[in-house]
Amino acid sequence: ATAQIGVTGLAVMGRNLARNFARNGYTVAVHNRTTAKTDALVEEFGDEGTFVAARTPEEFVAALERPRRLVIMVKAGDPTDAVIREFAPLLEEGDVVIDGGNAHFEDTRRREKELRERGIHFVGVGISGGEEGALEGPSIMPGGSKESYESLGPMLEKIAAKAKDGTPCTTHIGPDAAGHFVKMVHNGIEYADMQLIAEAYDLLRRVAGYSPAKIAETFRGWNTGRLDSYLIEITAEVLAHTDAATGKPFVDIVQDRAEQKGTGRWTVQIALDLGVPVSGIAEAVFARSLSGHADLREAARELPGPSATPLAEAEAAAFADRVEQALYASKIVSYTQGFHQIRAGSEAYDWDIDLGAVASIWRAGCIIRAAFLDRIRAAYDSRPGLVSLLSDDEFAQEIGAAQDDWRAVVAEAARQGVPTPGFAAALSYYDGLRADRLPAALTQGQRDYFGAHTYRRTDREGTFHTLWGGDRSETVAE
Ligand code: 6PG
């Protein structure tokens, strides 16, 4: 037994993670169901570090120092269970099984419990940053027991991305599935960020009348300010790209149907269960889904409505500035919603998640990495009990300063027939929260009318029901 860590499942993410461990000086046992992949890894990258190629699960387990640390990098779902079934009988008490896939956190809870009963630590780890991140330093979100983090943490800290101040982008998120839960919400926020950027692009194109190249330039400008982020940066790259075959902007030759693997959808499903209003994230998931319904879109093509007319050149630049404000304000809202969901999950499952630490490890390595996250970290660090990001003085002040432009953009989009579900949902969330009175009072009245569902009064304690079908007198409900 010579290897400090093992990786089984050597598709691109697994292979790059194994290389990352090896490049950082660890001896890495590598295993794959078909041995050709194992051989290829050692042949191509063997000089990057020390690999131990294992042909069978038995060889793989035997190659690992005890307590064993083995990382599973296979497709989430049944393939993960199959690998666990295969390896668990070969393991001993105290060993640490790490699942680095995009697992559903409920699966992680179940697996953790099953393995814990056998004395094995199961650590669900969210890994973000795509192929390049896995190799060069991802953001890593490990759950599982504190004890497992003692043995695994230092290795993860070594291979993780480092924030500008040198802090590793990993930390023990919390017990059992806390890591996969946080990764799920990361992806929900990723969907929202992408949708908001897409809306900004659409407005700049159709209302400001900018070309994709000009929008790329605009985004590059934004990327030097408060919107500085990986997603804005790559958006500029995608928009500046020209299709070689046709000479057209790349964005114009791609079919406008967005796909998804499911993590954004999970975020929304779980938010519904937890009762957390993640409307911005939900609209991002729905926007992808709408784009894919070719039949509905075809059937609706002739419906009346404006088609956007670009503004005069003199007004376009000012409009673009307003779009930047709308994008920034909406982004504050989607992070507010995502962090609310993490807080709610943490309370529901007793994970005791440190929200400032989450923001801290998202500062580098992951897809949503952004200068902005340093601000969120600071907000939670200075007030750990912060109920909402919108109650942080700085964010409140910024969103307040952006709101006039934000409203103007949503109004202009509605006038010109450009869909902005993300911007509009974020604005409604903002207005909903700051409203003095909500029409929810009327909803309660309707519920009481048709279903005797009762209501509470503003002026005294208790639960009441009005006899709507009778003399409309009020009764005290049980
Ligand atoms: C990451 C990404 C990664 C992946 C997702 C999203 O954090 O590195 O989120 O997990 O790209 O699978 O993919 P979809 O858009 O296909 O859902």
Side-chain angles (χ1 to χ4, degrees), residues 102 128-130 183 186-187 190-191 260-263 288 367:
N102 262 334
S128 178
K183 173 67 194 337
H186 165 284
N187 280 30
E190 170 185 308
Y191 276 47
Q260 52 184 313
K261 291 200 207 78
T263 45
R288 288 195 193 189
I367 303 296

Side-chain angles (χ1 to χ4, degrees), residues 2 10 41 48 79 87 143 225 245 254 258 266 309 314 320 349 441 449:
T2 52
L10 300 175
L41 189 160
E48 290 183 355
F87 282 93
V254 178
W266 292 347
T309 342
Y349 296 100
Y449 189 103

Side-chain angles (χ1 to χ4, degrees), residues 14 42 148 187 214 269 282 303 321 323 389 420 423 431 447 455:
V42 177
S148 64
N187 280 30
K214 171 107 178 156
Q269 285 169 338
L303 293 176
D321 288 345
V323 172
L389 272 184
T420 52
F423 285 2
D431 284 334
R447 294 178 66 245
Y455 53 89

Side-chain angles (χ1 to χ4, degrees), residues 76-106:
D78 294 340
T80 307
D81 283 314
V83 173
I84 295 173
R85 267 198 305 277
E86 194 173 11
F87 282 93
L90 308 173
L91 300 176
E92 289 166 278
E93 233 178 276
D95 287 350
V96 184
V97 175
I98 299 129
D99 173 15
N102 262 334
H104 193 292
F105 82 99
E106 294 283 14

Side-chain angles (χ1 to χ4, degrees), residues 23-162:
R23 287 171 169 198
N24 276 287
Y26 296 110
T27 300
V28 188
V30 283
H31 170 262
N32 195 67
R33 203 156 42 86
T34 50
T35 53
K37 280 215 167 117
T38 317
D39 296 338
L41 189 160
V42 177
E43 196 171 311
E44 270 180 73
F45 307 107
D47 57 353
E48 290 183 355
T50 315
F51 295 100
V52 181
R55 337 220 111 250
T56 63
E58 289 76 10
E59 252 182 67
F60 181 62
V61 168
L64 295 169
E65 277 178 5
R66 296 213 45 211
R68 300 182 182 89
R69 286 172 287 248
L70 58 120
V71 187
I72 301 174
M73 292 299 289
V74 300
K75 254 182 116 139
D78 294 340
T80 307
D81 283 314
V83 173
I84 295 173
R85 267 198 305 277
E86 194 173 11
F87 282 93
L90 308 173
L91 300 176
E92 289 166 278
E93 233 178 276
D95 287 350
V96 184
V97 175
I98 299 129
D99 173 15
N102 262 334
H104 193 292
F105 82 99
E106 294 283 14
D107 285 337
T108 303
R109 271 162 60 80
R110 167 177 58 78
R111 292 168 184 147
E112 197 273 341
K113 187 165 175 287
E114 284 166 11
L115 289 176
R116 185 167 9 106
E117 281 160 8
R118 302 162 73 161
I120 297 167
H121 298 281
F122 182 76
V123 183
V125 178
I127 301 181
S128 178
E131 290 173 30
E132 197 190 317
L135 182 63
E136 307 285 345
S139 170
I140 311 179
M141 294 151 252
S145 65
K146 270 215 171 87
E147 208 183 326
S148 64
Y149 193 80
E150 274 162 28
S151 119
L152 185 66
M155 300 178 79
L156 297 183
E157 284 164 22
K158 210 145 182 204
I159 67 156
K162 308 291 179 291

Side-chain angles (χ1 to χ4, degrees), residues 7-9 66 94 111 139 163 244 276 327 330:
V7 179
T8 180
R66 296 213 45 211
R111 292 168 184 147
S139 170
V276 180
L327 175 55
S330 304

